[in-house]
Amino acid sequence: MGTVGVLIGLVMSGVFFYVAIGIGLALGFGIGLIGGRLFFIGILVGAVLGGALAWLLTGSHNISIGAGAGAAMGGFLGTWISMLLDMFFQKRVKAVPVSDRTAS
């Protein structure tokens, strides 16, 4: 979230740079405390890939915009994949017969 805040602040410049960084760091710290580290990995990978793609396609002047968009997409995809994995593991637990779960 701090990375996304920095990228938004770079585009907006001025006082918004510090406001965006502060909000991003506060949200990132809070989400990190409740176990959102895999979510952050998706954002980081998205930011790096988005920035690299923008650099390759349009040049260095659009890296921050591409990284911000990539970070947003990385967050969305990370959430989506997390939900799919949760559903998959819930189905696996339900597939195990009750007698096998209670036997020790």
Side-chain angles (χ1 to χ4, degrees), residues 80-94:
W80 182 68
I81 290 169
S82 174
M83 290 187 326
L84 287 177
L85 289 175
D86 288 345
M87 286 176 34
F88 173 74
F89 287 122
Q90 285 178 355
K91 285 182 181 181
R92 285 187 77 185
V93 168
K94 289 180 183 177

